[in-house]
């Protein structure tokens, strides 16, 4: 049985509230779970202690049993110091979009046109 430590959504529409749970990976996101390990309330400020609460001992137990945390839960565990910081690689995320690249090319072309006449040497008058 493949175990996951993941978020199960609760709360009403536009007011999310999540439980951090240990669940069988085959179960639906908000479906059956083995144990509730904590809560996550994204509506609270990031510096609030109430934003992420978890039972550290039980999380360590499930990690010891081979449960794999999801990406979001892994970030929470890294912030709590329960998991080593993983190196993430998403090279396309920082690249500008198509329209931004077009605007940058147009700007570079205009700058080149404006700089071209200034670079030409001036005629020297020798008499």
């Amino acid at each position: 049985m493949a175990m996951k430590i993941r978020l199960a959504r609760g709360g009403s529409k536009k007011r999310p509230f999540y439980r951090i749970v240990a669940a069988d990976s085959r179960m639906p996101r908000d479906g059956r779970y083995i144990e509730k390990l904590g809560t996550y309330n994204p509506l609270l400020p990031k510096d609030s202690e109430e934003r992420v609460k978890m039972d550290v001992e039980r999380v360590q137990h499930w990690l010891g049993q081979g449960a794999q945390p999801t990406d979001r839960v892994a970030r929470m565990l890294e912030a709590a110091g329960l998991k080593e910081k993983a190196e993430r690689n998403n090279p396309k995320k920082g690249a500008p979009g198509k329209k931004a690249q077009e605007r940058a090319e147009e700007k570079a072309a205009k700058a080149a046109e404006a700089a071209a006449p200034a670079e030409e040497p001036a005629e020297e008058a020798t008499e």
Side-chain angles (χ1 to χ4, degrees):
M1 180 164 65
M3 294 296 296
K4 289 271 192 191
I5 298 176
R6 64 180 179 206
L7 298 175
R9 189 169 197 264
S12 60
K13 180 176 165 184
K14 309 240 184 205
R15 303 283 297 170
F17 184 83
Y18 297 92
R19 291 183 305 273
I20 301 170
V21 298
D24 184 352
S25 63
R26 297 171 291 188
M27 293 296 139
R29 179 191 73 178
D30 302 335
R32 191 170 72 204
Y33 58 87
I34 310 292
E35 182 178 358
K36 178 181 170 185
L37 303 174
T39 59
Y40 168 57
N41 187 351
L43 298 177
L44 295 176
K46 291 189 177 184
D47 57 350
S48 173
E49 291 180 12
E50 301 291 314
R51 186 176 169 103
V52 178
K53 287 183 174 180
M54 63 179 92
D55 185 353
V56 176
E57 292 176 12
R58 294 307 296 167
V59 170
Q60 288 175 335
H61 166 79
W62 283 108
L63 290 173
Q65 295 291 321
Q68 295 296 313
T70 58
D71 292 338
R72 183 60 47 192
V73 173
R75 285 179 178 239
M76 292 176 193
L77 296 177
E78 288 170 8
L82 298 176
K83 191 172 189 282
E84 292 180 19
K85 188 163 172 69
E87 198 63 34
R88 292 174 184 81
N89 184 17
N90 191 355
K92 292 184 180 180
K93 182 161 182 140
K98 195 177 195 180
K99 289 207 174 197
Q101 287 175 347
E102 290 173 4
R103 283 193 296 266
E105 289 171 7
E106 289 174 12
K107 189 175 180 181
K110 285 183 182 179
E113 288 175 13
E119 290 178 5
E120 293 177 11
E123 295 287 328
E124 292 183 20
T126 55
E127 291 181 33

